[in-house]
Amino acid sequence: KGWWSDPKFWGGLGALAGWGMSGSAIYDAAQQGPEVISMTMTPVLIVYSTLFARWAYIVTPPNPLLMYCHIANVAAQLNQLRRALQFKMDNGEEEQVKDLMTKVAVGGVVTAATVAAAP
């Protein structure tokens, strides 16, 4: 069985690629202003990485590198969400923030239930 068919090779390669996503969010937090943060994509990335972190933990063989890159991305995206919401609050968009927080709360409950119900 060569590297082309080796799940550990492809899992490791996927984890390395996943760190690019996490690194991008960390870089943006350090270099970009909060006005450029997508309030649509950030919550989607939080859900995506939460589910993939869980999957990387339960898959056979387990892929801790992939799990850690997605956990890092969840943390980075939560920071981006915090920055964007603070920016909106500071600029008088309290009503929009309230609406977004309701949506984020519902999404968080659904995501947590999905993760908890997984095998």
Side-chain angles (χ1 to χ4, degrees), residues 6 11-12 17 19 22 26 30 37 48 50 60 70 80 91 97-98 101 104 110 115 118:
D6 185 11
W19 277 106
S22 304
I26 294 166
I37 298 170
Y48 166 81
T50 300
T60 303
H70 280 291
Q80 290 289 74
N91 288 289
V97 169
K98 187 177 177 182
M101 289 305 292
V104 167
V110 169
V115 170

Side-chain angles (χ1 to χ4, degrees), residues 70-114:
H70 280 291
I71 290 170
N73 191 51
V74 169
Q77 295 299 332
L78 285 169
N79 180 52
Q80 290 289 74
L81 183 61
R82 177 199 59 78
R83 292 177 65 227
L85 292 173
Q86 185 64 53
F87 177 76
K88 289 186 178 301
M89 290 291 288
D90 292 346
N91 288 289
E93 299 179 48
E94 290 88 0
E95 201 57 42
Q96 185 181 6
V97 169
K98 187 177 177 182
D99 181 53
L100 287 167
M101 289 305 292
T102 301
K103 291 176 184 175
V104 167
V106 169
V109 168
V110 169
T111 302
T114 302

Side-chain angles (χ1 to χ4, degrees), residues 3-14:
W3 64 270
W4 189 256
S5 301
D6 185 11
K8 287 188 178 183
F9 170 78
W10 290 105
L13 197 61

Side-chain angles (χ1 to χ4, degrees), residues 1 9 22-23 25 27 32 34-35 38 41 49 54-55 58-59 68-71 77 100 103 108 111 115:
K1 193 175 191 180
F9 170 78
S22 304
Y27 177 83
Q32 299 288 327
E35 67 279 356
S38 169
M41 199 63 195
S49 281
R54 175 75 169 125
W55 178 83
I58 63 171
V59 72
Y68 295 138
C69 89
H70 280 291
I71 290 170
Q77 295 299 332
L100 287 167
K103 291 176 184 175
T111 302
V115 170

